[in-house]
Amino acid sequence: MLGLHSRRAVIASALALAACSRPAKSQTVIPDDPLKSLADFPVGCCVQAGQLDDPDFAALLARHFSQLTPEWEMKMEYIVQPDGSFQFDRPDRIAGFAREHGLRLYGTTLIWYAQKPDAFIHLDPSRATFGQAYDNYIAGVVGRYQGAAGWDVVNEPVAEDGNGWRQSLWAERLGDFDHMVRAFHVAEAADPTATLFINDYNLESLPAKLSTYQRLIEKLLAAGAPVSGIGCQTHANADLAPGAIAHAIQALAGFGLPIHVSEMDVSVARAKGFLTSRVDLETRQARLYEEAGHAFASLPPKQRFAFTVWGLRDKDSWLHGENAGDTPVLFDDAGEPKPAFAALAKGFQP
Ligand code: XIL
């Protein structure tokens, strides 16, 4: 279908954009269609409640995507108050927007080593008391958004270098393996219809991390944990070797469970040679999106849970805070689709 409905909006290649005095060597035809219409699986984007106040943002989001992940307002950092109470106004707003526009809601993240609110730190550390609060949190959040398509139940459990699992408050109080099993059981009881994910990153760039992640999934399944989906965040850098993303997706698909490409972006600024070869890196960026899209679209239909990008326009990306010159996602600051958009759309085609 690509090209059929396109307005042949031929835009200058990244080469011409970066060096305006040189003519474009290649041109990219950007499809005019909504991204979600070019895929036969859900296509997601992360969102913050405040962004929905911007009508341009809201329209672009609803036009191209069929699933929303709250970027941070469904995490403990927003929900858990110092006195241990929960606040839900902003995640409710995102859930309401999803409902009104017929989009799926994806919840992230229930248990994450990176977030340990004071209210939990100061609790009586006994397994009974702490465990009850832990269960209460998971059940409360999942229960409130019953009907969500899925949840990141345990996020980023594997150590940064891939050797073993991460230390965390949750592991200290409830056991490094047991806290994960427990979280899946509690989430399942709160919403038996949601797909329950484990999720991690750098699986394409660090073979040891991919392998530890696979072993952990095996162990969780063997212990009876109701893990029903596998997430591959896919935060990549533009200098990642070709083939690495496809390899990780295929390796994880070996479990036969639904796969979520859950947070894809491709940083140009974090890649080697950013200042000297930006043009080259943007071409590589587009290829990585195409590779990921194609690897995902090639999975058996039942395993294509969703393909999610982590940010709508470049200026909305979390990486923008780290380097304002980074351009990691599919739409530029003005909301125009980039070559990366065309590449992902192409990858989605069988
Ligand atoms: C980030 C969000 O983009 C930020 O806005 C938030 O403050 C912190 O989390 N891996 C993850 C995501 O699993 O949840 C992170 O998102 C990005 C890295």
Side-chain angles (χ1 to χ4, degrees):
M1 292 300 281
L2 252 194
L4 245 184
H5 297 301
S6 89
R7 58 182 147 83
R8 293 202 60 83
V10 179
I11 68 150
S13 70
L15 181 64
L17 288 176
C20 352
S21 56
R22 296 170 63 187
K25 279 214 177 119
S26 64
Q27 292 187 319
T28 308
V29 178
I30 312 239
D32 201 20
D33 318 67
L35 186 58
K36 61 184 172 189
S37 74
L38 300 170
D40 55 5
F41 43 81
V43 185
C45 185
C46 70
V47 59
Q48 302 175 20
Q51 292 169 332
L52 298 172
D53 292 334
D54 171 356
D56 293 339
F57 180 99
L60 191 68
L61 184 72
R63 174 174 157 74
H64 287 283
F65 295 94
S66 46
Q67 178 176 293
L68 301 184
T69 304
E71 183 170 356
W72 64 279
E73 290 146 314
M74 212 176 259
K75 295 172 178 163
M76 285 184 179
E77 67 179 295
Y78 185 76
I79 294 178
V80 181
Q81 299 304 288
D83 67 357
S85 62
F86 303 157
Q87 67 175 352
F88 287 118
D89 54 340
R90 294 201 203 166
D92 280 358
R93 171 126 195 261
I94 296 171
F97 182 91
R99 216 176 17 253
E100 283 156 26
H101 292 82
L103 316 177
R104 299 206 311 185
L105 180 69
Y106 186 80
T108 193
T109 173
L110 297 170
I111 300 303
W112 188 15
Y113 81 94
Q115 297 195 350
K116 42 176 184 176
D118 283 348
F120 277 98
I121 293 175
H122 298 134
L123 268 184
D124 171 356
S126 72
R127 206 174 257 235
T129 311
F130 193 93
Q132 200 174 27
Y134 181 88
D135 295 353
N136 187 48
Y137 177 77
I138 297 170
V141 178
V142 175
R144 187 174 184 93
Y145 300 104
Q146 244 185 15
W151 284 93
D152 288 325
V153 177
V154 176
N155 193 34
E156 303 181 351
V158 179
E160 192 65 23
D161 63 2
N163 293 314
W165 307 331
R166 292 197 190 261
Q167 284 310 303
S168 69
L169 177 67
W170 322 111
E172 275 164 32
R173 298 284 195 271
L174 299 173
D176 56 358
F177 182 65
D178 291 358
H179 83 279
M180 299 190 225
V181 176
R182 181 170 183 149
F184 278 96
H185 282 300
V186 178
E188 185 190 38
D191 187 352
T193 63
T195 307
L196 303 180
F197 284 79
I198 186 161
N199 193 38
D200 217 320
Y201 72 106
N202 278 354
L203 303 169
E204 46 293 302
S205 54
L206 290 177
K209 203 166 179 191
L210 175 61
S211 162
T212 301
Y213 190 51
Q214 290 173 291
R215 300 294 85 76
L216 172 59
I217 295 165
E218 276 165 19
K219 195 168 154 76
L220 284 165
L221 292 171
V227 178
S228 49
I230 299 175
C232 184
Q233 291 185 8
T234 322
H235 290 291
N237 295 341
D239 57 356
L240 182 66
I245 294 180
H247 172 74
I249 291 174
Q250 283 152 10
L252 295 173
F255 287 95
L257 292 172
I259 299 292
H260 188 192
V261 171
S262 54
E263 307 181 12
M264 184 159 183
D265 51 25
V266 182
S267 174
V268 180
R270 283 181 174 183
K272 283 193 205 75
F274 169 52
L275 293 175
T276 51
S277 60
R278 185 181 183 104
V279 173
D280 171 48
L281 291 172
E282 288 187 350
T283 303
R284 288 166 180 247
Q285 174 190 58
R287 285 197 199 122
L288 292 176
Y289 272 110
E290 181 177 344
E291 176 186 324
H294 192 66
F296 185 81
S298 304
L299 296 175
K302 276 200 308 215
Q303 289 191 266
R304 297 178 209 150
F305 177 80
F307 190 107
T308 296
V309 291
W310 209 241
L312 184 62
R313 302 162 304 191
D314 285 328
K315 65 180 177 186
D316 303 316
S317 162
W318 69 309
L319 294 169
H320 202 252
E322 184 180 296
N323 186 324
D326 207 350
T327 50
V329 290
L330 306 179
F331 295 91
D332 68 15
D333 288 354
E336 291 299 324
K338 296 162 41 182
F341 174 97
L344 182 59
K346 184 166 172 233
F348 282 169
Q349 303 306 300

